[in-house]
Amino acid sequence: MCEDTKAFRKLHISVDIDYKGCGKLALQATTFMGKNMYISVEVTKLIGKLIFIFNREPQTHWGFCFDTEPEVEFNVISAFQKRSLPRFTRVVSSILKLTIRKKHTNPNYKRR
């Protein structure tokens, strides 16, 4: 704690998360040749220990990371010209899990 301003220099808050809901992101696009594409990503399950980090030095910033690898499940739907793309769906799901594991899990977490 800073003595002159009575404010914290660093604050770490640990939270256990058990999310079973339907956070959803959908994107629909049309190519320049008139083809339609659609992708939808829904977080159906997220369980883990999340750490929020608030820091004043070297500049004021905040971040979050998971203490251990979280248990996460996605429901991904993709279509091109109204045809389902199961391979693309599996690739997107695995890339999202890999990104969470590499970028947002200790000790790999870095302030960006």
Side-chain angles (χ1 to χ4, degrees):
M1 181 176 276
C2 234
E3 293 302 322
D4 54 342
T5 61
K6 301 288 185 195
F8 289 103
R9 287 188 185 154
K10 280 186 178 181
L11 180 64
H12 292 219
I13 300 171
S14 180
V15 179
D16 288 325
I17 292 181
D18 188 0
Y19 175 77
K20 293 177 183 160
C22 57
K24 189 173 186 177
L25 174 71
L27 179 69
Q28 184 174 0
T30 304
T31 65
F32 65 93
M33 297 187 328
K35 308 282 185 186
N36 292 323
M37 298 184 304
Y38 175 79
I39 185 164
S40 169
V41 179
E42 181 178 354
V43 179
T44 56
K45 181 177 170 184
L46 180 63
I47 299 173
K49 187 174 184 178
L50 188 65
I51 300 172
F52 289 101
I53 304 160
F54 300 93
N55 202 347
R56 289 185 171 261
E57 294 175 0
Q59 74 270 3
T60 302
H61 64 275
W62 67 275
F64 68 93
C65 65
F66 289 96
D67 191 31
T68 58
E69 187 175 341
E71 186 179 332
V72 63
E73 289 180 10
F74 296 105
N75 183 16
V76 181
I77 301 168
S78 62
F80 181 73
Q81 288 296 98
K82 297 182 181 178
R83 281 189 243 149
S84 178
L85 301 170
R87 285 187 190 161
F88 184 70
T89 300
R90 285 192 298 272
V91 168
V92 168
S93 181
S94 65
I95 286 173
L96 289 171
K97 288 179 183 179
L98 180 68
T99 301
I100 289 173
R101 183 172 57 235
K102 281 188 155 187
K103 304 258 184 202
H104 296 290
T105 304
N106 268 339
N108 300 327
Y109 169 77
K110 293 179 186 157
R111 183 176 65 91
R112 290 175 167 72

